[in-house]
């Protein structure tokens, strides 16, 4: 049972890698930033859901509290 689950997870992630590759997330021309890395990771984790209309995106504009003076 564990090996079947492992195979399903690997196939899921490979489908996600294929979707990320088709969207052009891998290549020398892309800049490395929070957004591009997050979009790529979420696309891979979404796996086959990408082919059902999912288009995961990351918003990296997080407000970090400033230290007091």
């Amino acid at each position: 049972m564990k090996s079947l689950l492992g195979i399903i997870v690997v196939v899921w992630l490979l489908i996600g890698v294929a979707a990320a590759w088709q969207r052009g997330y891998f290549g020398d021309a892309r800049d490395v930033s929070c957004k591009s890395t997050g979009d790529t990771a979420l696309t891979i984790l979404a796996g086959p859901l990408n082919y059902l209309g999912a288009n995961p995106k990351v918003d990296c504009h997080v407000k970090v509290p400033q230290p007091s003076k």
Side-chain angles (χ1 to χ4, degrees):
M1 183 67 176
K2 288 182 183 180
S3 62
L4 178 61
L5 183 60
I7 291 170
I8 290 171
V9 168
V10 169
V11 169
W12 182 279
L13 294 175
L14 286 174
I15 292 171
V17 168
W21 179 74
Q22 288 176 340
R23 290 182 179 170
Y25 288 167
F26 302 116
D28 296 334
R30 285 188 55 93
D31 63 330
V32 178
S33 66
C34 171
K35 180 168 177 31
S36 65
T37 304
D39 288 348
T40 303
L42 281 178
T43 299
I44 292 171
L45 289 176
L49 299 177
N50 290 292
Y51 296 103
L52 297 175
N55 190 11
K57 296 291 181 188
V58 173
D59 182 20
C60 293
H61 302 313
V62 177
K63 299 277 184 181
V64 178
Q66 297 297 318
S68 60
K69 293 183 179 183

